Amino acid sequence: MKTELIEREFNFKEIGYDIDVKLTSHLFIRRTINGITDKHIRSHIFKTRAQYQDLLTAAIKKFNLLDYANKGRVSFIFIHKQEKYGMLLDVTKSKDGYTITVITIDKMGDRHFVKNAFFGKEKNKIYTEYVLHSSYMRAIEERVNSCREFVFYNTFFYNRSAQEISLKKKINEYRIHNSIISRFDNKTLYFGRHWIEICNKTDGPIYILINIEKLIVKDLQNIAIIFVDVREEIDRTQITKDIICFPDFTPPKIKVKSKTGLRIKKKLLSGKLS
């Protein structure tokens, strides 16, 4: 996926205010300490604009971020993959609304930070249990389907794994797409990562890892459903959430009618032999 997934400046409306967001260039450079350059940019856990917008929306609605407007910089502490991260923000208020500048992002305990502290010079800190969900948008190989606001993608890894187990011969992927949409509409499936078990009467169950995430580019908002991984066996002890079971999606066997072809019949000659 292209870099357009993250706009350096964007805006949205929340609790009746216009929110302008600015991402500094500092977020997109690699950190070098003692001559060693990190392979990741500072904000590498953020793959899409939607991740930034979701976090800032939670910071405003649940943790009163706007109360810190014009009061100096504030660090917002959150969780990603069971690790704590800190985002350093500057919030300013104007007659038109608020501007939030994202200055930098760091992981607790990384290099120049003490083990249990973030941004020691900053007096304003918001400690939260907000969980930033992972995005797989930059691992996508192809777009495979769309319906209404739902767009389906396969990652490189999923496609390779599916080919290895001849997945297309075992399940009907488009029926699974329709079932996912139905479950999302019925609020039995939500944003985030899910393992789904596809029942297959012939070859046994198949397990597919999907990630449902918001896809926001400029003024367009869709729901991306990304097929991340597929396996014929999984270790259930390593999966913290319940596996969502789907009914049998085995493709129907098509009966090919045999064609007998042309039959040549002998014609009996009338009359007697002399």
Side-chain angles (χ1 to χ4, degrees):
M1 301 296 289
K2 297 181 180 179
T3 54
E4 286 82 354
L5 288 171
I6 299 181
E7 302 160 60
R8 298 292 183 93
E9 295 187 9
F10 59 89
N11 58 75
F12 62 96
K13 202 173 212 46
E14 194 54 67
I15 62 172
Y17 295 106
D18 290 322
I19 309 295
D20 291 319
V21 180
K22 295 181 180 179
L23 307 180
T24 65
S25 58
H26 192 71
L27 295 164
F28 299 92
I29 63 173
R30 292 174 173 82
R31 181 189 290 112
T32 300
I33 296 179
N34 298 326
I36 300 174
T37 301
D38 197 331
K39 64 180 180 179
H40 296 300
I41 62 174
R42 293 170 188 261
S43 60
H44 69 275
I45 61 174
F46 286 83
K47 312 295 184 186
T48 67
R49 166 186 157 178
Q51 286 177 295
Y52 280 105
Q53 189 165 319
D54 274 358
L55 182 145
L56 294 174
T57 297
I60 292 169
K61 294 176 67 175
K62 296 181 179 180
F63 305 105
N64 304 316
L65 176 65
L66 300 183
D67 290 349
Y68 292 86
N70 303 324
K71 294 181 180 179
R73 300 189 300 186
V74 54
S75 60
F76 182 85
I77 316 303
F78 62 97
I79 298 170
H80 174 66
K81 292 185 176 179
Q82 300 180 337
E83 298 279 359
K84 287 189 176 181
Y85 286 80
M87 176 183 284
L88 189 61
L89 306 167
D90 184 61
V91 185
T92 58
K93 184 178 181 181
S94 66
K95 62 179 181 179
D96 298 322
Y98 292 83
T99 298
I100 300 174
T101 302
V102 183
I103 300 170
T104 192
I105 298 167
D106 276 297
K107 179 180 175 182
M108 180 174 280
D110 259 8
R111 297 179 178 177
H112 58 286
F113 289 110
V114 296
K115 187 174 182 181
N116 293 309
F118 275 109
F119 309 115
K121 295 180 180 180
E122 310 302 332
K123 64 178 181 179
N124 299 322
K125 292 184 174 66
I126 304 174
Y127 290 90
T128 77
E129 295 300 314
Y130 173 85
V131 176
L132 177 73
H133 292 293
S134 298
S135 172
Y136 292 89
M137 290 301 302
R138 295 186 182 276
I140 285 170
E141 180 174 22
E142 62 176 343
R143 171 175 167 166
V144 293
N145 195 10
S146 63
C147 176
R148 295 172 18 219
E149 71 271 33
F150 299 91
V151 188
F152 291 82
Y153 299 95
N154 290 353
T155 64
F156 287 90
F157 186 78
Y158 175 85
N159 279 341
R160 301 300 176 272
S161 301
Q163 187 175 8
E164 288 176 4
I165 65 173
S166 302
L167 185 67
K168 291 186 182 296
K169 295 180 181 179
K170 298 178 180 179
I171 63 171
N172 186 320
E173 290 178 297
Y174 290 103
R175 283 188 60 206
I176 296 172
H177 294 175
N178 291 334
S179 183
I180 289 172
I181 292 173
S182 177
R183 289 171 185 241
F184 193 90
D185 286 341
N186 294 333
K187 295 182 171 50
T188 56
L189 201 57
Y190 304 93
F191 289 106
R193 295 169 75 251
H194 308 278
W195 277 103
I196 60 176
E197 180 185 67
I198 311 298
C199 299
N200 184 291
K201 294 178 181 178
T202 306
D203 303 299
I206 294 171
Y207 301 93
I208 295 177
L209 177 63
I210 64 172
N211 200 60
I212 305 177
E213 51 187 276
K214 296 175 185 176
L215 176 57
I216 306 173
V217 179
K218 296 183 179 178
D219 296 326
L220 183 65
Q221 180 167 325
N222 286 318
I223 298 171
I225 300 175
I226 304 172
F227 282 57
V228 179
D229 191 3
V230 56
R231 305 179 191 178
E232 292 180 300
E233 293 182 358
I234 59 173
D235 184 355
R236 289 177 178 267
T237 62
Q238 299 299 315
I239 298 174
T240 55
K241 293 185 179 181
D242 292 336
I243 298 170
I244 302 169
C245 294
F246 280 58
D248 184 44
F249 284 93
T250 308
K253 293 182 179 180
I254 301 173
K255 293 182 179 180
V256 180
K257 294 182 179 180
S258 60
K259 296 183 179 179
T260 56
L262 296 176
R263 290 183 178 179
I264 301 174
K265 296 182 180 180
K266 291 183 180 179
K267 186 176 182 180
L268 296 175
L269 296 176
S270 60
K272 294 181 181 180
L273 292 175
S274 55

